[in-house]
Amino acid sequence: MSFLKSLKSDIKSSSVFLKDDFIFDNLIDLSECERAIERVEQSASEDPWFNADKNLKRGRVYKALITNSEPYGFFAEFDIGITGLIHKTKLNDIVPSIGDKVSVKICWVDVIQRKMSLELLEILEEEADELNFDD
């Protein structure tokens, strides 16, 4: 937006004909664009998946809480409200239970499909009472 504003200012200042041209000002009014960008930023900031790939980086290790068990693996939730899958092939011979606080490595994050693959590294605390990641 700042680039477009400066371009508008440069065009207007370089032309004698456009200095007081009301039509030119209305044709390149950027206020609606600014409001649209603000709306998108506001709605995106409320979605934890919006920057999930930047907040939970591939290859890094994080703490998570086991929240669900399925025949194909376990789901682990992070403190930012995002849940990823630890597939049964990535359990490393560890069998967690729902409520366990675990250490996981991020394999990949897909923010479009809202999916994440995790590898279980260890159980940190069995059956944690609550989702508390301050430890």
Side-chain angles (χ1 to χ4, degrees):
M1 287 305 300
S2 59
F3 170 75
L4 291 176
K5 285 180 180 179
S6 67
L7 187 61
K8 175 184 173 181
S9 176
D10 291 347
I11 291 171
K12 193 166 181 174
S13 65
S14 67
S15 173
V16 175
F17 299 108
L18 297 177
K19 284 205 187 280
D20 297 318
D21 192 347
F22 178 74
I23 294 171
F24 177 77
D25 285 338
N26 285 335
L27 282 175
I28 54 172
D29 181 13
L30 302 174
S31 60
E32 186 59 37
C33 294
E34 289 173 319
R35 286 192 294 274
I37 290 171
E38 287 172 8
R39 286 191 304 272
V40 168
E41 287 174 342
Q42 178 65 30
S43 66
S45 68
E46 297 167 2
D47 181 5
W49 278 99
F50 183 71
N51 283 325
D53 56 339
K54 292 170 185 57
N55 294 330
L56 300 169
K57 297 186 184 225
R58 181 181 180 175
R60 292 218 180 138
V61 176
Y62 297 92
K63 294 178 186 176
L65 183 71
I66 300 296
T67 57
N68 194 9
S69 172
E70 294 292 337
Y72 49 86
F74 293 86
F75 287 93
E77 183 178 346
F78 296 90
D79 62 342
I80 59 174
I82 293 176
T83 301
L85 173 66
I86 307 168
H87 192 267
K88 63 183 179 183
T89 60
K90 301 217 185 242
L91 290 174
N92 294 325
D93 296 323
I94 304 169
V95 182
S97 300
I98 295 174
D100 288 352
K101 191 182 288 187
V102 295
S103 177
V104 294
K105 183 169 123 181
I106 308 288
C107 299
W108 54 262
V109 177
D110 185 337
V111 295
I112 304 299
Q113 294 186 41
R114 296 173 178 247
K115 293 183 177 182
M116 181 184 323
S117 175
L118 308 171
E119 178 182 351
L120 182 59
L121 300 178
E122 66 178 315
I123 295 175
L124 300 172
E125 184 179 332
E126 292 188 16
E127 296 183 23
D129 292 335
E130 56 188 55
L131 191 61
N132 181 2
F133 295 90
D134 297 330
D135 302 344

